[in-house]
Amino acid sequence: QVQLQQSGPGLVKPSQTLSLTCVISGDNVSSSSTTWNWIRQSPSRGLEWLGRTYYRSKWHYDYAVSVRSRLIINADTSKNQFSLQLNSVTPEDRAVYYCARVVTYVGVFDPWGQGTLVTVSS
Amino acid sequence: DIGMTQSPDSLAVSLGERATINCKSSQSVLLSSNNKNYLTWYQQKPGQPPKLLIYWASTRESGVPDRFSGSGSGTDFTLTISSLQAEDVAVYYCQQYYSTPYTFGQGTKLEIK
């Protein structure tokens, strides 16, 4: 059974960097049949897909336009995990952040991490 | 981007009655080469991540009770709960995975009348 365990701070200061990690068990971050995604949820924006990474002979990255200039997603094969770094955060970035797997022949988000509520405040 | 619009925003149904939630996409999510609709439904309860219910618009995920069913094609889709149970109180979301950016409906809050 695949499980995703998120970690990272719940409070970030404005203009600083939000960093979250998602540790994978039961699957491999380098799998050629999956993608690894970050999604956030807030009352104002609902569920919003942020971006993904996946390995197909090399690493690929796709980002939502809304965060493209501020977001970096990385994979760490030695720890079987992937991460999110969102730079220059503002109070608008307050949300619950989720990591999630997509198995490409099915295409849906399953499973999800447990979620991390991130607040942006000084 | 493909816009997803659900209706209604909230719904109150009596126990044992049918609940119907609609989802409309701004463009077709049907891929003609494989005749599959890239549309999924999730259920979310407070404090939990969304849970996969239905994919390919009508395929029930393993373990999901058969009172949940999905239908529709192209741009118009429906999630039906045939006989509402107390544990079905939740927010339901549709999502398209036809193209990135993946997009979600705004959610439908289902309550007991």
Side-chain angles (χ1 to χ4, degrees), chain A residues 40-57:
Chain A
R40 67 182 178 183
Q41 183 174 29
S42 64
S44 59
R45 302 173 76 105
L47 284 160
E48 179 185 17
W49 176 80
L50 299 176
R52 66 182 179 180
T53 186
Y54 57 98
Y55 186 77
R56 305 289 186 267
S57 302

Side-chain angles (χ1 to χ4, degrees), chain B residues 5-60:
Chain B
T5 304
Q6 291 180 227
S7 61
D9 290 335
S10 63
L11 181 61
V13 174
S14 300
L15 289 172
E17 296 299 306
R18 178 186 299 261
T20 301
I21 299 170
N22 300 301
C23 175
K24 188 174 184 66
S25 57
S26 62
Q27 64 189 75
S28 176
V29 297
L30 172 64
L31 188 62
S32 54
S33 61
N34 61 9
N35 201 36
K36 286 184 182 294
N37 287 283
Y38 285 62
L39 187 286
T40 186
W41 290 96
Y42 298 94
Q43 174 194 66
Q44 187 177 33
K45 297 182 178 180
Q48 298 181 16
K51 173 190 171 186
L52 177 64
L53 293 177
I54 303 276
Y55 57 97
W56 301 134
S58 60
T59 301
R60 201 180 304 114

Side-chain angles (χ1 to χ4, degrees), chain A residues 41 52 98 105-107 109, chain B residues 42 44 56 93 95 97 102:
Chain A
Q41 183 174 29
R52 66 182 179 180
Y98 294 101
Y105 62 83
V106 179
F109 298 116
Chain B
Y42 298 94
Q44 187 177 33
W56 301 134
Y93 295 93
Q95 178 235 324
Y97 50 106
Y102 303 126

